[in-house]
Amino acid sequence: ASCAARLTASHRFLTGMTGDGVNDAPALKRADVGIAVQGATNAAQAAADIVLTQPGLSTIVTAIVTSRKIFQRMKNFVIYRIACTEQLLFFFFMSCIFYHPNEFNDDWPSYFYIPVIALVTITILNDGTIISVAYDNVHASQLPEKWDLNILYIVSSSIGLTALASSLVLLSYALSSSDPNSHWAHAGLPQLTYGEIQTLMYLKISLSDYFSVFNSRTKGWLWSRAPSVILVGAFVLATGASTWLSVYWPFGNGMKGISWTLAGYCWLYVTFWALVQDAAKVLTYAVLQRVGWVESVEVIDEVALKKSREALNTVEID
């Protein structure tokens, strides 16, 4: 215990201690990480930070890898949550303040809005996608990482504000659909009623939010690491439900269903902007690394780690 105390007090080392008996309890309590092995006494377990339930010390490595994966999933969750919130809230704020539909059609209201029921469906489906982040495939870093909310907010904003810009651009084009000289008309797209514009923006914001989960889960390009089956399933369920609702909108409140063709064009538009969002994220990380705010952290090769553990288990001790 005195040795662990001296090492801890020096501030030059992080100390770990394993033990199983009552006499080990003071050292387990004093160490930065106290580990009670399988079969340890109640006193040792109470003093320890980690209690092993299987024989051997290899489970310590498993605990480290698992904890770092959990930390990575928490970071991905925060980035995704902030990015979605920025797009959703800023869009409704800016569209309400700066966009005036009655300037395009006298029969339309003086400010743009989407009914509350549409917001509720977005958030409900979005919550299902968020939960799936807890089951995503992630890599454990070789070195411990720390929370840096400033960095997380900057990265989240690069994703969320890019999605916000794409939503505002689409709203501008959709509101001008009745103008034969507009970009919308030149693209051969149909003239829309105000209710259809509301539904189109509902679909666009929904899809952007659900696509953002793929932007948020990696530091590199979104295809650099395969997502889990659960995350993909949640994405398919959420986007499928949003698309069906936008075509057969059943809740009224002034919104009207759009055609499958227009929904398909919206999918293409959102997919393109999802790649732009990913490029903005990759560029943001590159700039942050360049200025020294973010360090490039190597990840643990779990396949090699598993092989070395199996090889160690085959060693016979006379």
Side-chain angles (χ1 to χ4, degrees):
S2 62
C3 179
R6 288 195 298 270
L7 288 173
T8 302
S10 68
H11 297 290
R12 291 181 295 176
F13 300 99
L14 292 176
T15 58
M17 176 68 184
T18 61
D20 61 352
V22 175
N23 60 315
D24 297 321
L28 293 173
K29 185 68 174 180
R30 186 66 177 176
D32 292 293
V33 181
I35 303 171
V37 299
Q38 184 196 37
T41 62
N42 293 336
Q45 292 183 16
D49 300 295
I50 299 175
V51 178
L52 303 183
T53 59
Q54 296 180 2
L57 299 179
S58 62
T59 50
I60 298 176
V61 178
T62 302
I64 293 174
V65 172
T66 301
S67 63
R68 292 183 182 177
K69 283 186 172 183
I70 293 173
F71 183 83
Q72 188 60 51
R73 292 189 179 103
M74 292 172 64
K75 287 176 59 178
N76 295 345
F77 170 84
V78 172
I79 293 173
Y80 177 48
R81 179 73 274 176
I82 295 176
C84 291
T85 301
E86 283 188 345
Q87 183 200 195
L88 190 64
L89 296 184
F90 285 159
F91 172 79
F92 289 113
F93 172 76
M94 297 181 69
S95 63
C96 181
I97 299 298
F98 300 109
Y99 284 80
H100 307 286
N102 60 348
E103 295 179 356
F104 300 89
N105 189 315
D106 293 335
D107 295 329
W108 293 352
S110 59
Y111 61 92
F112 184 81
Y113 69 93
I114 291 180
V116 174
I117 185 62
L119 302 181
V120 171
T121 58
I122 291 176
T123 54
I124 290 176
L125 294 174
N126 196 18
D127 287 344
T129 309
I130 288 177
I131 293 173
S132 67
V133 174
Y135 302 93
D136 189 24
N137 295 328
V138 296
H139 295 313
S141 60
Q142 290 187 358
L143 298 175
E145 295 186 75
K146 297 181 180 179
W147 282 107
D148 192 333
L149 295 181
N150 293 327
I151 298 300
L152 294 182
Y153 186 79
I154 292 172
V155 174
S156 302
S157 297
S158 68
I159 299 172
L161 295 182
T162 304
L164 170 65
S166 65
S167 297
L168 295 176
V169 169
L170 182 61
L171 177 60
S172 299
Y173 285 161
L175 288 174
S176 64
S177 63
S178 58
D179 183 0
N181 297 320
S182 65
H183 294 289
W184 185 276
H186 288 163
L189 297 173
Q191 180 177 342
L192 302 178
T193 65
Y194 182 72
E196 290 173 329
I197 294 175
Q198 288 178 306
T199 307
L200 175 64
M201 296 312 303
Y202 159 78
L203 177 60
K204 194 279 168 191
I205 294 171
S206 299
L207 295 180
S208 288
D209 274 358
Y210 308 144
F211 267 97
S212 295
V213 70
F214 297 106
N215 303 132
S216 306
R217 57 185 299 274
T218 62
K219 287 186 176 180
W221 295 98
L222 59 85
W223 54 80
S224 60
R225 185 175 70 244
S228 67
V229 175
I230 294 177
L231 188 143
V232 173
F235 169 80
V236 171
L237 178 63
T239 54
S242 297
T243 305
W244 185 89
L245 287 173
S246 66
V247 174
Y248 302 105
W249 185 255
F251 302 118
N253 287 281
M255 294 176 61
K256 296 182 179 179
I258 59 177
S259 65
W260 281 105
T261 301
L262 187 57
Y265 284 132
C266 185
W267 264 86
L268 293 175
Y269 181 82
V270 172
T271 302
F272 169 77
W273 276 96
L275 298 177
V276 177
Q277 292 170 211
D278 213 49
K281 175 205 65 182
V282 172
L283 178 60
T284 300
Y285 271 121
V287 172
L288 292 174
Q289 290 180 2
R290 185 67 178 268
V291 299
W293 290 4
V294 173
E295 295 181 359
S296 179
V297 180
E298 299 295 329
V299 298
I300 296 176
D301 187 346
E302 294 188 57
V303 176
L305 183 64
K306 182 179 180 180
K307 289 181 179 179
S308 63
R309 185 183 302 167
E310 292 175 348
L312 184 62
N313 291 335
T314 60
V315 175
E316 296 183 358
I317 301 176
D318 296 330

